[in-house]
Amino acid sequence: MKLWGGRFESGPSEVFERFSGSLDFDRRLMDADIRGSQAFARALERVGILTAEERERIVAAFDQIRKEPVDPNAADEDIHTFVIRKLKERAGAVADKIHTGRSRNEQVSLDTRLWLREESGRVRALLGVVMGALLDLAGRDPDAVIPGYTHMRRAQAVLWPHYLLAYFEMFARDAERFAQARARANVLPLGSGALAGSGFPFDREAMAQDLGFAGVTRNSMDVAADRDFVLDFVYAASMTMIHLSRLAEDWILYSSEEFGWLELADAVTSGSSLMPQKKNPDSLELIRGKSGRVMGCLVSLMTTMKGLPMTYNRDMQEDKVPLFEAADQLAGSLEMARVVIQSVKLNPAAPAAAAEESWVVATDLAEALARAGLPFHQAHQLAGRFVLESVRSGKKPADWTAEEMQRFAPEFTAGFAELLDPKRGMTSREIPGGTGPQSVTAALAAARQRLSEMNV
Ligand code: ARG
């Protein structure tokens, strides 16, 4: 059944029908389409197009259709056409009135907004679980010390929970982004017509209330042309995947033989068909790999949109493929990350040794010199020369005694030797957001609280 046959002398070619059909992917909007159409039937009653009895018949028929399997035929262009055909089969001639003063251009916008609202909530819940798993992991080794890196070189010692909280913050921002994406989608487009505004005096506020929208869109041409709300979601998904991918990359390294910090559970690793010893981090590699797919979705949809003239163009039908793909890959990756995080084990001795063997304490020495009155530039120079001497003579921090340090430089007075322990220097970083142990304890407690309110 076509919704537009009158002006045509002959039907579409079979090739065009197949090429232009979108039911394969937009069938996922069926529930949203039915919900929207039921609300629209109530709106049609309010403007006198449907009687109460007709509206009742339509709403009841939709309730039935919702439960039936989707069995498209070749002429069903998209989910909107399919649903109307089904309505006609169930409710008869009254179905011909359902599309009064409505366009598929606003309908597809409405359906996608309804779908996105729910999906954003689902993603936020998945994010919340991942964030909780990170906090649980931090709680298992609250005192573990790792070298923090810049340029992939050991930089300064930090607490393991401080490192995990960095990811907590990334996911907290992601959760915010999804809340924002949801808020932007949460505006009713119905009443916009094809592009010029509906020719029937619908109470748009009433329709918005009926469907739980926070408000109504302000410009009908914008509605017909707009996919920003889809891009907002796919952008939020891409950002989240970037964060997941960076976590995956870290942990692939940290669980390698070279690092030996983390032990990934058997349940999330796989072996080699040839090399019996292998235990490969495939779950994390796939998260990293899928991040590329999701970012591809963002680029794909941005590229589709960037040159479109006002207002609706059929190109826009292609938005749902990257949207659903991004949503599915994201949900799968968040679930996988949760299982990896819940089952990983830290071997705290390995990162502690990495911190102790390196010169992550050099900054602590320089800053202590500056605190004692030496201008920082000179303090930096002195600590640098101390490191150079150690590298030359093959000394690790723990190999120095207080007397030797003082012989090297009188500025290294009693007490400086204590700073050769990476844990000691961290206590000078008791600043909000820093890795001082008390700051981290406070940050962990605050994170728990924020998570419980998902006030992130
Ligand atoms: N399936 C279409 C889409 O997803 C619905 C709108 C069709 N409108 C049209 N003028 N052909 O964009």
Side-chain angles (χ1 to χ4, degrees):
M1 184 194 73
K2 294 282 172 253
L3 298 175
W4 39 261
R7 187 244 174 273
F8 291 80
E9 291 179 5
S10 59
S13 87
E14 189 249 321
V15 170
F16 173 61
E17 213 153 51
R18 231 181 321 116
F19 185 69
S20 60
S22 56
L23 202 51
D24 274 354
F25 48 88
D26 66 17
R27 62 199 297 161
R28 286 175 71 162
L29 296 176
M30 175 144 129
D31 199 68
D33 199 76
I34 289 176
R35 256 193 297 156
S37 292
Q38 288 178 320
F40 193 61
R42 290 186 280 271
L44 286 172
E45 181 191 352
R46 286 193 294 269
V47 294
I49 298 288
L50 293 178
T51 65
E53 187 274 324
E54 286 172 327
R55 183 260 307 149
E56 177 59 43
R57 200 139 36 92
I58 286 175
V59 169
F62 275 138
D63 281 336
Q64 284 303 317
I65 295 163
R66 179 184 272 128
K67 293 182 209 143
E68 290 166 7
V70 182
D71 55 345
N73 64 35
D76 294 324
E77 265 183 66
D78 54 25
I79 188 65
H80 325 295
T81 318
F82 171 80
V83 164
I84 291 179
R85 172 168 71 79
K86 285 278 157 185
L87 181 69
K88 200 158 181 173
E89 286 169 13
R90 283 225 152 247
V94 68
D96 285 341
K97 291 190 181 176
I98 188 64
H99 214 55
T100 312
R102 182 177 74 167
S103 158
R104 278 183 296 162
N105 296 350
E106 55 183 338
Q107 207 183 343
V108 69
S109 170
L110 171 69
D111 294 1
T112 311
R113 288 166 190 269
L114 288 171
W115 187 87
L116 270 177
R117 273 195 335 199
E118 279 183 15
E119 189 65 13
S120 300
R122 199 162 83 93
V123 173
R124 274 171 65 83
L126 287 170
L127 273 168
V129 175
V130 166
M131 290 157 75
L134 285 172
L135 297 184
D136 292 343
L137 181 59
R140 267 176 253 144
D141 292 284
D143 307 319
V145 175
I146 65 169
Y149 293 83
T150 63
H151 312 270
M152 206 55 226
R153 302 288 185 274
R154 293 172 197 172
Q156 289 184 276
V158 293
L159 284 173
W160 166 242
H162 193 57
Y163 161 83
L164 294 173
L165 280 169
Y167 279 101
F168 181 94
E169 292 304 328
M170 295 178 224
F171 295 131
R173 287 196 296 276
D174 294 331
E176 263 174 26
R177 266 185 277 274
F178 280 104
Q180 288 160 358
R182 185 192 188 283
R184 249 181 238 118
N186 194 24
V187 193
L188 176 93
L190 277 186
S192 302
L195 79 162
S198 180
F200 295 78
F202 294 119
D203 182 344
R204 298 190 64 209
E205 294 291 347
M207 285 196 282
Q209 270 195 6
D210 190 344
L211 287 165
F213 284 104
V216 302
T217 55
R218 291 195 176 91
N219 182 287
S220 61
M221 292 184 79
D222 180 39
V223 166
D226 177 28
R227 289 295 180 271
D228 291 6
F229 59 98
V230 179
L231 280 165
D232 284 343
F233 181 94
V234 181
Y235 171 68
S238 298
M239 285 303 301
T240 309
M241 288 304 298
I242 288 174
H243 297 147
L244 286 171
S245 182
R246 293 184 74 172
L247 180 72
E249 170 65 13
D250 275 358
W251 289 18
I252 289 166
L253 285 174
Y254 298 170
S255 63
S256 67
E257 286 101 328
E258 281 70 16
F259 277 77
W261 299 6
L262 296 179
E263 182 68 24
L264 300 172
D266 284 3
V268 299
T269 47
S270 42
S272 157
S273 59
L274 191 148
M275 300 166 282
Q277 85 284 12
K278 291 299 289 293
K279 183 178 171 189
N280 296 326
D282 298 33
S283 51
L284 292 171
E285 292 169 300
L286 282 167
I287 289 173
R288 195 176 54 187
K290 286 168 192 288
S291 68
R293 282 171 72 173
V294 175
M295 283 173 250
C297 293
L298 181 63
V299 174
S300 156
L301 185 52
M302 288 196 295
T303 311
T304 298
M305 295 308 296
K306 78 170 185 59
L308 294 185
M310 289 289 270
T311 53
Y312 178 83
N313 300 268
R314 191 67 179 267
D315 316 41
M316 290 157 72
Q317 176 169 288
E318 299 296 311
D319 66 344
K320 281 158 294 283
V321 178
L323 170 61
F324 294 148
E325 163 81 351
D328 291 346
Q329 296 308 325
L330 173 64
S333 300
L334 282 168
E335 266 198 299
M336 188 71 259
R338 169 185 64 82
V339 177
V340 172
I341 295 167
Q342 285 173 338
S343 59
V344 75
K345 285 207 166 53
L346 178 74
N347 163 27
E356 279 157 21
E357 282 164 15
S358 62
W359 280 95
V360 294
V361 295
T363 308
D364 301 329
L365 291 172
E367 289 185 351
L369 289 168
R371 253 177 248 121
L374 201 60
F376 184 73
H377 228 71
Q378 293 171 32
H380 189 289
Q381 283 290 114
L382 179 51
R385 279 196 290 114
F386 183 58
V387 171
L388 181 63
E389 171 58 24
S390 307
V391 171
R392 275 198 188 132
S393 55
K395 271 178 146 163
K396 286 181 260 162
D399 298 332
W400 287 90
T401 65
E403 294 71 40
E404 287 169 337
M405 281 182 83
Q406 253 174 48
R407 233 175 294 134
F408 178 82
E411 289 89 342
F412 285 141
T413 51
F416 269 81
E418 277 176 38
L419 287 169
L420 296 172
D421 176 0
K423 279 198 154 137
R424 178 64 184 71
M426 285 196 310
T427 61
S428 66
R429 310 196 179 284
E430 294 292 6
I431 187 164
T435 195
Q438 289 171 36
S439 301
V440 172
T441 303
L444 276 170
R448 270 275 172 234
Q449 183 61 28
R450 287 158 62 198
L451 182 59
S452 74
E453 299 160 7
M454 200 57 177
N455 180 17
V456 285

